[in-house]
Amino acid sequence: MDTTQLLKGVLDLAVLAVLRDEDGYGYDILRRLRAAGLHEVGDASVYGTLRRLFSAGFLNTYVVPSDEGPHRKYYNLNAAGRTELQRNGKIWQGFATTMDDLLRERGAA
């Protein structure tokens, strides 16, 4: 199965989940996603997702000066983002449960 196709469908949810407990800047978010097991996630995909989630009103941003290199733009979940994370998390849980049930019934899991 091509996990990159699955990842495209859940990257928004994964980014929101990564930001649930701790703010982060682009590369930090990418690093956390990969550390969680999403090794196939690409840099451009994460940065595009951050821009899209910010434009949709789910994230806030702020800039932190850096002594080493350019300033970093941090992202954090706002109230709308937390609601979206909860809503989409429930949808994902239902979908994952359905798939687990289907695979178990067919002896594939």
Side-chain angles (χ1 to χ4, degrees), residues 16 56-60 77-87:
L16 292 173
F58 300 133
L59 302 177
N60 294 325
L77 285 182
N78 57 29
R82 291 189 184 282
T83 299
E84 185 72 0
L85 173 60
Q86 185 177 27
R87 187 180 72 79

Side-chain angles (χ1 to χ4, degrees), residues 6-99:
L6 290 172
L7 188 56
K8 286 180 184 180
V10 298
L11 188 55
D12 287 10
L13 180 59
V15 168
L16 292 173
V18 163
L19 290 171
R20 175 183 42 228
D21 297 322
E22 183 181 359
D23 300 355
Y25 57 92
Y27 183 75
D28 175 55
I29 294 165
L30 176 65
R31 180 191 54 76
R32 286 193 256 166
L33 289 167
R34 288 179 176 165
L38 300 177
H39 305 288
E40 300 84 9
V41 68
D43 300 21
S45 296
V46 170
Y47 288 103
T49 298
L50 288 168
R51 283 190 299 274
R52 186 173 53 259
L53 291 171
F54 176 76
S55 294
F58 300 133
L59 302 177
N60 294 325
T61 63
Y62 59 94
V63 175
V64 174
S66 174
D67 293 334
E68 303 171 9
H71 301 327
R72 292 184 173 151
K73 181 190 277 189
Y74 277 76
Y75 295 86
N76 64 354
L77 285 182
N78 57 29
R82 291 189 184 282
T83 299
E84 185 72 0
L85 173 60
Q86 185 177 27
R87 187 180 72 79
N88 284 334
K90 287 179 183 176
I91 292 169
W92 172 257
Q93 289 297 331
F95 179 77
T97 299
T98 299
M99 289 305 299

